[in-house]
């Protein structure tokens, strides 16, 4: 019987140790980032990692205030398995989570208990708790650990809402201050008062001021009490939700109910990022991960919501291969947007754009969309986006979409702007620039002065498609009439009356393109569409995809190093970069379900594989930074 119990215990222990921690992450997660340690340690030994500058910098940053960590094994975690970082939306709270497997429980507990900040330690229900504050806890058993932080992001008890403490107090204090000033500046007819009347008047005013002071004090105390009550309720909600989430995490509740994050991870990828995006992919960077739950309308980000056309989920995998670093991303769209975006990305860039590329260019970026289909599909975009949101104004937005369709001539706009666009970075160098600067004297008085100086600036060109040269010609004539343009050989130059541009801008056009450039010499070859001498690979990159990107990073850094503007301290970093980097290429093409984006960078021949290359590259950057 004892042997059976022992075997059963070992079996349960094995299940626990081999648990997939991704099944403990909720399906309503806001994002997920995971590092696959097993892939990395196959290419780089733990000794190489432990001796690297990258490792020591990370340990000093993440374990500040703990015992010094000299090697990977002292962490006590199983670095051959995945580490997960995620965020989740709870009931009026936002969770931030980090979870990983434990390999050596003794080493792990020795490290976490070495904190000089004296966190609160307790054991409860078979779990170990280390509380850094009321909102952040490290919780673990013998198999895995969870670092979790909770934030209240509801509206009812939030001090910063429209009806919250901050705004009410601000307006209240401004009103009371203005009223008090009005009392102070009231003119008293002294010549008409006796001394006895004056004393009575002043006594009345003193009593009135004292009464108002007490009223203000009572209101202030009431506000403070309300604020304290809101804080108490916030903290109670945070603690309740935190305890519930911890209990849930260390159970099989999500697994049994199948409410875990439904994401299949590629085990060949060294890192994976997943994000379900309901409006704008940039939201987490500008507004915080949970912000969209309270946004009153979805079209805050641009004209008619044009900047918010992505509405789906994105999965980005990073691969450390033998010959290259590769990022592979797939954007899958929600609702009926799959067909909508298939129409929008139904064309490739015109073959004539390959003529604009040159081997001497530092880089380029292109995009090709079907303008007519964007305008045709716009009502569908609105309807699908609104279906993910509060539907209170659904009818109004449908009406707006219909009015938009009536008002816009899709074919005419598509002829004027075909949807093909190409930006080229032609070069980089020192240029003479005339612009306004502010000069200060010893007393910090400033004067706006027009000054000519040398600056490190790029040469660029922007080419876009158009089949209406007659309309472009009308714009040109208008610009000449109002002295916004001046005619020069092969094109026109923008007249910069107020020195707003850091470098001159030129314009020309053909029957199929309109062209802006900072290099007047480019206008002739661009206008005649002389065949460019770019490599076949670069031309294929441009022509075979909906979007493309190429950067000759080595030449770009070399140009920067030729500049006298680069300070000595920065020169070390750029010099280290120049010896390590080459080119970066990326493309985007529409495939079934969504857009497929791939970016690659070659691994130098001197390096064994991508993991060692990245480790050595960051080591050089850190050492160069330390020598600044």
């Amino acid at each position: 019987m004892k042997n059976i119990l022992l075997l059963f215990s070992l079996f349960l222990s094995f299940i626990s140790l081999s648990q997939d921690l991704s099944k403990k992450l909720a399906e309503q997660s806001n994002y997920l980032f995971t590092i696959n340690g097993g892939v990395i340690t196959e290419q780089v030994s733990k000794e190489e990692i432990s001796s690297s500058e990258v490792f020591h910098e990370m340990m000093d940053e993440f374990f500040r205030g703990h015992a010094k960590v000299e090697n990977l094994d002292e962490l006590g975690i199983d670095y051959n398995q995945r580490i997960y970082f995620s965020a989740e939306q709870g009931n009026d709270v936002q969770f931030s989570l980090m979870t990983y497997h434990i390999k050596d429980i003794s080493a792990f507990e020795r490290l976490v208990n070495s904190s000089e900040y004296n966190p609160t330690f307790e054991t409860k229900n078979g779990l170990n708790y280390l509380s850094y504050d009321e909102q952040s806890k490290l919780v673990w058993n013998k198999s895995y650990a969870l670092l979790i932080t909770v934030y209240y992001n509801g509206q009812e008890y939030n001090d910063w809402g429209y009806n919250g403490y901050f705004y009410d107090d601000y307006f209240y204090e401004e009103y009371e201050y203005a009223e008090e000033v009005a009392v102070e500046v009231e003119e008293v007819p002294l010549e008409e008062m006796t001394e006895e009347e004056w004393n009575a008047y002043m006594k009345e005013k003193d009593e009135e001021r004292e009464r108002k002071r007490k009223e203000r004090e009572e209101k202030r105390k009431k506000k403070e009490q309300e604020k304290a009550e809101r804080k108490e309720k916030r903290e109670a909600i945070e603690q309740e939700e935190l305890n519930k989430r911890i209990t849930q995490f260390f159970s099989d509740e999500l697994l049994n109910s199948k409410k875990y994050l439904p994401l299949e991870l590629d085990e060949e990828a060294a890192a994976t990022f997943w994000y379900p995006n309901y409006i704008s992919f940039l939201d987490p960077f500008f507004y915080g991960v949970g912000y969209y739950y309270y946004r009153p309308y979805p079209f805050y980000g641009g004209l008619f919501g044009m900047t918010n056309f992505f509405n789906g989920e994105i999965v980005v995998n990073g691969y450390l291969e033998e010959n290259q670093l590769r990022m592979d991303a797939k954007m899958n769209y929600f609702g009926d947007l799959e067909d909508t975006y298939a129409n929008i990305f139904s064309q490739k860039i015109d073959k004539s754009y390959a003529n604009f590329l040159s081997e001497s260019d530092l880089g380029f970026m292109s995009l090709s969309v079907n303008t007519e289909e964007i305008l045709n599909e716009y009502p569908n975009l609105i309807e699908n986006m609104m279906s993910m949101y509060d539907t209170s104004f659904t009818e109004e937005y449908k009406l707006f979409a219909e009015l938009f369709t009536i008002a816009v001539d899709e074919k005419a706009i598509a002829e004027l702007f075909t949807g093909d666009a190409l930006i080229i970075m032609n070069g980089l160098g020192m240029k003479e620039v005339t612009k306004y600067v502010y000069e200060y004297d010893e007393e910090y008085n400033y004067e706006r002065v027009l000054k000519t100086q040398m600056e490190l600036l790029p040469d660029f060109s922007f080419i876009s498609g158009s089949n209406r040269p007659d309309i472009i010609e009308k714009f040109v004539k208008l610009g000449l009439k109002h002295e916004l343009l001046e005619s020069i050989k092969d094109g026109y130059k923008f007249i910069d009356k107020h020195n707003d541009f850091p470098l001159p801008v030129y314009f020309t056009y053909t029957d199929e393109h309109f062209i802006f450039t900072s290099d007047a010499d480019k206008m002739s070859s661009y206008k005649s569409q002389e065949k460019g001498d770019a490599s076949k690979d670069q031309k294929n990159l441009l022509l075979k995809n909906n979007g493309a990107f190429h950067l000759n990073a080595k030449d770009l850094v070399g140009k920067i190093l030729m500049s006298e503007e680069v300070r000595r301290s920065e020169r070390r970093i750029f010099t280290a970069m120049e010896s390590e980097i080459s080119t970066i290429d990326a493309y985007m093409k529409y495939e079934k379900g969504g857009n497929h984006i791939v970016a690659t960078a070659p691994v130098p021949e001197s390096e064994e594989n991508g993991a060692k290359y990245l480790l050595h590259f960051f080591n050089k950057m850190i050492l160069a930074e330390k020598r600044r």
Side-chain angles (χ1 to χ4, degrees), residues 152-330:
Y152 179 82
N153 65 354
Q155 295 295 292
E156 186 174 0
Y157 305 116
N158 196 329
D159 282 343
W160 298 91
Y162 181 75
N163 295 317
Y165 177 78
F166 175 79
Y167 290 109
D168 281 351
D169 260 19
Y170 176 78
F171 290 117
Y172 164 72
E173 289 173 3
E174 288 293 305
Y175 172 77
E176 291 294 338
Y177 175 75
E179 184 180 46
E180 187 175 343
V181 171
V183 172
E184 292 294 335
V185 300
E186 183 180 349
E187 293 185 7
V188 180
L190 297 175
E191 69 278 1
E192 298 178 9
M193 284 189 179
T194 65
E195 183 177 353
E196 184 177 339
E197 288 174 333
W198 166 252
N199 290 335
Y201 172 80
M202 292 305 297
K203 181 180 179 182
E204 181 184 350
K205 289 299 179 184
D206 288 343
E207 289 174 352
E208 183 181 356
R209 275 192 288 268
E210 180 62 16
R211 178 180 59 79
K212 289 186 176 181
R213 187 193 67 78
K214 288 182 178 179
E215 287 178 358
R216 288 197 301 271
E217 183 65 17
E218 287 176 2
K219 288 182 179 180
R220 186 189 66 78
K221 288 182 178 179
K222 183 180 178 181
K223 286 287 185 182
E224 289 292 339
Q225 183 180 357
E226 291 173 353
K227 181 180 179 182
E229 289 173 355
R230 281 197 298 272
K231 181 181 178 182
E232 184 178 349
K233 289 176 180 177
R234 284 200 309 272
E235 290 178 346
I237 291 172
E238 287 175 343
Q239 289 307 303
E240 180 182 1
E241 292 296 311
L242 184 63
N243 291 332
K244 283 168 55 178
R245 186 63 184 97
I246 291 171
T247 301
Q248 183 187 60
F249 186 89
F250 284 91
S251 72
D252 292 328
E253 180 183 334
L254 293 179
L255 180 64
N256 295 334
S257 63
K258 298 186 184 299
K259 292 184 177 181
Y260 55 83
L261 184 63
L263 180 65
E264 293 295 327
L265 297 170
D266 186 349
E267 294 305 322
E268 298 297 319
T272 299
F273 174 73
W274 167 82
Y275 179 67
N277 181 22
Y278 298 96
I279 281 291
S280 170
F281 178 67
L282 299 178
D283 271 9
F285 301 99
F286 290 106
Y287 298 104
V289 173
Y291 183 80
Y292 60 78
Y293 285 91
Y294 304 106
R295 191 176 302 132
Y297 56 92
F299 302 132
Y300 70 96
L303 182 63
F304 308 125
M306 289 291 190
T307 60
N308 298 323
F309 270 1
F310 172 58
N311 184 18
E313 68 176 2
I314 184 168
V315 179
V316 184
N317 285 309
Y319 300 90
L320 305 175
E321 299 173 346
E322 184 176 346
N323 299 319
Q324 67 177 1
L325 306 177
R326 178 167 61 92
M327 183 206 77
D328 195 300
K330 185 67 183 291

Side-chain angles (χ1 to χ4, degrees), residues 110-121:
R110 184 165 53 249
L111 177 62
V112 298
N113 286 316
S114 68
S115 173
E116 64 184 31
Y117 300 113
N118 299 318
T120 303
F121 174 79

Side-chain angles (χ1 to χ4, degrees), residues 449-500:
V449 179
L450 191 62
K451 196 171 183 179
T452 299
Q453 59 191 39
M454 299 297 291
E455 290 188 8
L456 181 66
L457 291 171
D459 274 323
F460 77 93
S461 298
F462 172 75
I463 302 104
S464 187
S466 177
N467 294 323
R468 294 299 301 271
D470 55 322
I471 295 180
I472 295 175
E473 186 176 354
K474 290 179 181 179
F475 279 111
V476 168
K477 289 179 178 178
L478 195 64
L480 292 170
K481 177 181 177 181
H482 293 280
E483 297 183 343
L484 300 174
L485 295 173
E486 64 173 302
S487 182
I488 62 172
K489 182 184 177 182
D490 298 316
Y492 307 89
K493 179 182 179 182
F494 280 89
I495 299 173
D496 188 8
K497 296 179 181 179
H498 305 288
N499 295 94
D500 292 327

Side-chain angles (χ1 to χ4, degrees), residues 598-611:
V598 177
T600 60
V603 172
E605 293 182 359
S606 57
E607 298 286 357
E608 287 183 42
N609 54 57

Side-chain angles (χ1 to χ4, degrees), residues 369-400:
V369 294
N370 190 317
T371 305
E372 184 176 351
E373 288 298 337
I374 287 179
L375 299 173
N376 286 332
E377 296 289 352
Y378 185 66
N380 295 333
L381 288 168
I382 290 179
E383 185 176 347
N384 276 273
M385 283 194 252
M386 287 305 298
S387 68
M388 304 293 170
Y389 276 81
D390 179 8
T391 57
S392 303
F393 297 97
T394 300
E395 293 302 320
E396 287 82 353
Y397 278 112
K398 284 185 178 179
L399 177 60
F400 168 77

